[in-house]
Amino acid sequence: MFKRFFAAGVLALAACGSASADGPVRLIVAFPPGGPVDLVGRVLAEQLTRELHQSVIVENKPGANGNIGAAYVAKGPRDGTVLFLTSVGAVSISPSLYQSLPYDPVKDFAPVSRVVDNATVFVVNPSNPASDAADFVARSKAASQPVAIGSSGVGSIPHLALEMFADASKANVMHVPYKGAAPVINDLLGNQVAGFFGDVPGLITHIQGGKLKALGVAAPARLAVLPNVKTLAEQGIPGVESNNWYGLLAPAGTPPAIVDKLNAAVRAALANPEARKKLESFGAQPAPSSPQELAALIASDRAKWGDLIQRKHIKVD
């Protein structure tokens, strides 16, 4: 009897820890270093290291719209030592975009907390004469050929935002998919493509530096970091809202005590004034949630983006 109680006590104590004592917590980012998810991940890792009293390191595993990183975490240990900082894509878009996935987005993860909200902004080269998105639409309709709008890939948030924009505005545009955000942004800077819908964190320095011009934000309200940029709805283009939120997931089967401890650590990390200032400076809005709220968000966005993908017959080659 004593042995059973002793064993149960040891297991309970183990479950209260966030990770093993002899190694760091690895925060998996499914995109390359230097991108928006990586930037947020490094701010979060620094703060979680303080909150958990254990080293938290970012490990980049890019590829396949986040699916490679997702599959890695899905097979990871259930002790809080491997975590997944995901964008909306891997858990709410990929299930409708791919016929098969190397992970189950519903069964393979335990939601911990939403981390940040990221609005999408429509940008063009400064040489583009359009004064705002409505003017861009009018000019596109007068053009003899469809206007090329780049995206970071088929089924990406920039692509899906463009599809919503085209439906709502009837703009005369053509989708040009790239392999990632960096090449399309480089071509936009070089005026090789006419426009791009992208996450604010990945574009804010170019906008503030005058290298790109923001024509509208796909959000319900104007952004504090871009207060003079109108929403698309303000410009008569309703229903185009895109939030490429980032959330923290653990492998399914992670004990609830560990999930709760991680959730508390994320909340404390995002409440830190220094961390909030860093995130807000590049356009990410700290938005911690309960595990249940994140699970509901994943499900609702899966329905939203899945419907669009089905209606527009979007497929990955």
Side-chain angles (χ1 to χ4, degrees):
M1 179 68 73
F2 172 76
K3 289 182 178 179
R4 288 201 299 270
F5 279 119
F6 178 77
V10 170
L11 289 173
L13 287 172
C16 289
S18 63
S20 60
D22 57 354
V25 174
R26 291 184 294 152
L27 181 61
I28 305 302
V29 170
F31 297 93
V37 185
D38 182 73
L39 292 174
V40 172
R42 294 185 187 280
V43 173
L44 181 64
E46 181 182 0
Q47 294 301 318
L48 288 180
T49 294
R50 298 175 184 176
E51 297 299 330
L52 297 172
H53 306 291
Q54 185 172 5
S55 179
V56 179
I57 60 173
V58 172
E59 190 171 316
N60 300 88
K61 292 189 178 294
N65 282 341
N67 296 349
I68 292 175
Y72 180 85
V73 175
K75 298 177 177 63
R78 276 65 176 151
D79 58 3
T81 59
V82 175
L83 304 173
F84 184 28
L85 182 64
T86 183
S87 63
V88 64
V91 289
S92 293
I93 295 175
S94 289
S96 298
L97 196 61
Y98 294 86
Q99 289 187 341
S100 63
L101 291 170
Y103 61 92
D104 187 315
V106 176
K107 297 179 180 179
D108 285 347
F109 301 106
V112 175
S113 175
R114 182 170 54 180
V115 177
V116 296
D117 286 332
N118 293 301
T120 300
V121 60
F122 181 43
V123 292
V124 297
N125 189 282
S127 64
N128 192 300
S131 58
D132 59 17
D135 187 26
F136 182 94
V137 170
R139 291 173 182 274
S140 78
K141 291 179 179 179
S144 58
Q145 298 291 331
V147 178
I149 306 296
S151 83
S152 52
V154 174
S156 63
I157 282 288
H159 177 200
L160 299 181
L162 170 59
E163 294 289 353
M164 290 193 297
F165 175 76
D167 278 354
S169 67
K170 309 304 179 187
N172 181 25
V173 294
M174 174 179 66
H175 175 225
V176 181
Y178 285 70
K179 293 184 177 180
V184 65
I185 292 172
N186 285 337
D187 271 8
L188 185 58
L189 292 169
N191 215 17
Q192 302 302 307
V193 67
F196 175 60
F197 283 86
D199 293 356
V200 171
L203 297 169
I204 190 64
T205 56
H206 294 304
I207 297 170
Q208 292 175 337
K211 295 180 178 180
L212 291 176
K213 179 167 63 175
L215 298 188
V217 291
R222 295 194 191 191
L223 308 178
V225 73
L226 295 170
N228 296 322
V229 180
K230 297 177 183 178
T231 68
L232 294 175
E234 284 182 276
Q235 302 179 54
I237 308 171
V240 185
E241 295 182 7
S242 173
N243 177 13
N244 190 15
W245 49 264
Y246 305 159
L248 189 66
L249 307 176
T254 300
I258 292 180
V259 172
D260 289 344
K261 184 169 184 177
L262 289 169
N263 181 271
V266 170
R267 290 178 180 274
L270 296 179
N272 179 278
E274 179 184 352
R276 291 188 68 89
K277 184 176 180 179
K278 284 182 180 178
L279 293 171
E280 290 171 348
S281 70
F282 52 76
Q285 182 60 48
S289 71
S290 70
Q292 295 77 18
E293 288 169 335
L294 177 56
L297 178 61
I298 291 171
S300 65
D301 268 12
R302 188 179 300 124
K304 170 184 175 178
W305 297 122
D307 177 68
L308 179 64
I309 289 168
Q310 184 176 18
R311 284 192 295 106
K312 305 296 287 188
H313 305 290
I314 298 171
K315 296 180 180 180
V316 176
D317 294 332

